[in-house]
Amino acid sequence: GPPSGCRQGYMGGMAVPTMQYAMQTPPHGHQPSTPAKVGYMSPAQCSVPSAMECWRWGLPQGAVVVSAKPKLQAALVAYDKMLAAELKAFTEACKKLGGAVQAQGGAVGELFAAQRSMLEKALKVQRPTMEVIGKLASGETQAAMHKVEAACEAAAEAPATLRPHTRMVSGAMSAMGWVMVDEPGVYVKDALNAIPVYGRQVRDLGGDEHAALVQALTGLIKALRALVEAHFAKGLVKAGEGLLDSEKYTYPAMDIVQSYRLLVTNKLQPFLRAARTLPPPAGSGPLLSNPLERLAALCDAIFLAQATMIDTQVTKLRPPPEEALARILEPTTEVLNDLEELEEQEHGAAGPFQTHVQLVASGLGALAWVSVASPPLYVTEILNSVPTLSDKVSALGKEHAEFAALYKDLLRGLLGYVKEHHSSGVHWNPAGKEMAC
């Protein structure tokens, strides 16, 4: 539950953090599986000095966050190719063996995904220190490594035929510590050379599936070695040095603003027109007032509040201090609270548009993306919860189905926007002005 003094809003039966949570974040390394499971902690509980950096990435105070330059982006492209090819081949080989090996393969997949996320964050820090890298390498990465080791321990109590497999994989995953050394190529090579120790025992069991696992694991670690030698030959810390010195950074302010305006024009406005003209379901009694008019006004207001924030503050300011951020988010907070009140009123009135209001109010919790560390994940989770209510609305007739479809299209548009421009939290302008508390 939320810490003392904080407020948890509920929309459509779903827990949604209000803007009072703006400077609070899930414990480092944790990503909620559903919005209802979002857990928060005070920045004072984090192990880094800056509340803003703690909220976003777990970085120490003074770290400058910028977009990675093209040379460093190439490293992420190469990592993605490795995930799509060698990692996929390895996890498929694990599935064929089942049991503890399959579980361990899933954990390895989580481990590589966590490291990829960590690299993206690390490469956006000017002159990262080993301390910063260590903090980024904890959390999700550390949790996934524990799962890899847990699968190995589980195999110790399972049929003996799987023990060498899990031990081989656990040993090879030591290569993932390359982010903490100065010569990662040599470090990964050592892990690669250790594979045959258990690999021979695995192959001796006979059967194509056993040999395929050894081959796939070897291919994965070879690919990792090639990647670090090509892009991080002198270590991750060296790779990030001189990020702003060697290449002038251009903040995409116009793209961030224009993309949101297009979202309003192409996705929000069609939905608002449908909401304002939607007739009551067949068989409904006379309406004393139409809640959809109020609902449309609130939808318009909250998107306008965010558009103004993005245009006048996000693209013009550096990440602000906690006190200033709370003020910036007040307009969005107020509308979210008004939406919650409208939903409660309609629930009590049990009117013909009760489900429509519940659908929109619960989904618009996605506008709280400005207060979380991973907006795409947050919006996706809310979008995935929409079908239950949208199906009920769609069953009321053709016009109601169009209303639901336009609303889902609006949320998909919002997801596309945050994926493109705010994938790791609100993309403030690192070269912008300082905002006083």
Side-chain angles (χ1 to χ4, degrees):
S4 176
C6 295
R7 183 165 178 261
Q8 183 88 4
Y10 288 86
M11 297 183 177
M14 180 189 305
V16 177
T18 67
M19 294 305 106
Q20 284 125 321
Y21 282 124
M23 290 310 302
Q24 297 172 337
T25 182
H28 186 65
H30 169 71
Q31 291 291 355
S33 58
T34 67
K37 294 181 181 177
V38 176
Y40 291 86
M41 62 186 293
S42 164
Q45 294 175 275
C46 298
S47 60
V48 293
S50 168
M52 173 59 73
E53 304 301 351
C54 172
W55 167 64
R56 292 194 63 189
W57 288 338
L59 303 179
Q61 190 171 9
V64 178
V65 179
V66 299
S67 289
K69 59 184 180 179
K71 185 179 77 171
L72 297 181
Q73 286 287 10
L76 299 179
V77 172
Y79 205 97
D80 288 339
K81 289 181 178 178
M82 178 179 65
L83 297 185
E86 287 82 8
L87 177 62
K88 182 179 179 180
F90 169 74
T91 55
E92 289 298 323
C94 290
K95 289 179 182 178
K96 292 180 180 179
L97 287 164
V101 175
Q102 182 176 354
Q104 193 176 46
V108 169
E110 292 181 26
L111 177 59
F112 273 82
Q115 187 170 91
R116 197 277 184 206
S117 176
M118 182 275 291
L119 286 175
E120 183 175 6
K121 296 169 185 176
L123 294 178
K124 290 180 180 179
V125 180
Q126 183 190 14
R127 301 183 182 90
T129 64
M130 191 59 73
E131 179 185 4
V132 169
I133 300 302
K135 289 184 180 295
L136 292 176
S138 61
E140 289 182 348
T141 306
Q142 190 174 39
M145 192 64 202
H146 288 164
K147 288 185 180 181
V148 173
E149 295 169 354
C152 184
E153 294 171 2
E157 301 176 1
T161 52
L162 293 181
R163 292 176 191 172
H165 303 67
T166 55
R167 290 172 180 171
M168 174 183 69
V169 173
S170 288
M173 288 308 107
S174 64
M176 300 298 275
W178 69 266
V179 295
M180 300 298 296
V181 299
D182 293 332
E183 295 184 347
V186 175
Y187 187 85
V188 177
K189 181 181 177 181
D190 289 341
L192 179 64
N193 291 339
I195 291 178
V197 174
Y198 286 107
R200 283 189 290 269
Q201 296 181 35
V202 174
R203 289 182 184 275
D204 288 345
L205 293 172
D208 293 341
E209 67 275 17
H210 299 285
L213 179 67
V214 179
Q215 182 177 354
L217 178 61
T218 302
L220 176 60
I221 303 304
K222 281 184 176 179
L224 179 63
R225 178 188 176 190
L227 183 146
V228 299
E229 288 180 341
H231 300 282
F232 306 99
K234 295 183 179 180
L236 185 53
V237 171
K238 292 289 184 181
E241 288 184 350
L243 190 57
L244 295 181
D245 298 337
S246 61
E247 181 174 321
K248 187 176 180 180
Y249 170 67
T250 302
Y251 178 78
M254 185 61 70
D255 288 344
I256 292 174
V257 172
Q258 284 295 106
S259 292
Y260 201 88
R261 289 175 180 172
L262 289 174
L263 171 67
V264 170
T265 301
N266 297 336
K267 304 296 183 181
L268 176 63
Q269 293 304 326
F271 168 71
L272 294 181
R273 286 193 292 270
R276 288 166 176 150
T277 59
L278 187 67
S284 301
L287 290 175
L288 297 178
S289 63
N290 189 344
L292 293 191
E293 294 177 1
R294 174 64 174 158
L295 184 69
L298 290 174
C299 289
D300 199 10
I302 195 168
F303 275 91
L304 175 61
Q306 281 206 347
T308 302
M309 181 187 78
I310 290 168
D311 188 10
T312 64
Q313 295 165 320
V314 170
T315 59
K316 293 179 173 60
L317 300 175
R318 295 182 182 181
E322 181 176 351
E323 297 82 358
L325 181 63
R327 293 199 304 271
I328 290 172
L329 297 176
E330 280 178 0
T332 304
T333 302
E334 291 175 1
V335 183
L336 283 174
N337 291 338
D338 290 343
L339 276 165
E340 185 179 349
E341 291 178 6
L342 177 62
E343 183 188 10
E344 291 173 354
Q345 291 171 7
E346 281 304 298
H347 181 72
F353 289 120
Q354 177 184 343
T355 307
H356 301 68
V357 173
Q358 187 180 10
L359 166 66
V360 176
S362 62
L364 280 189
L367 272 294
W369 66 266
V370 293
S371 68
V372 301
S374 179
L377 174 65
Y378 182 70
V379 177
T380 297
E381 294 285 3
I382 291 183
L383 181 59
N384 289 341
S385 73
V386 164
T388 300
L389 292 171
S390 65
D391 288 348
K392 291 182 180 179
V393 171
S394 298
L396 297 174
K398 181 178 178 181
E399 291 172 299
H400 297 269
E402 182 180 357
F403 170 91
L406 287 171
Y407 183 62
K408 287 188 287 186
D409 197 39
L410 170 61
L411 292 183
R412 292 190 191 101
L414 178 63
L415 175 59
Y417 173 76
V418 298
K419 277 185 175 180
E420 181 178 1
H421 298 292
H422 308 277
S423 61
S424 300
V426 177
H427 190 178
W428 300 92
N429 189 342
K433 297 179 180 179
E434 294 283 357
M435 182 175 182
C437 294

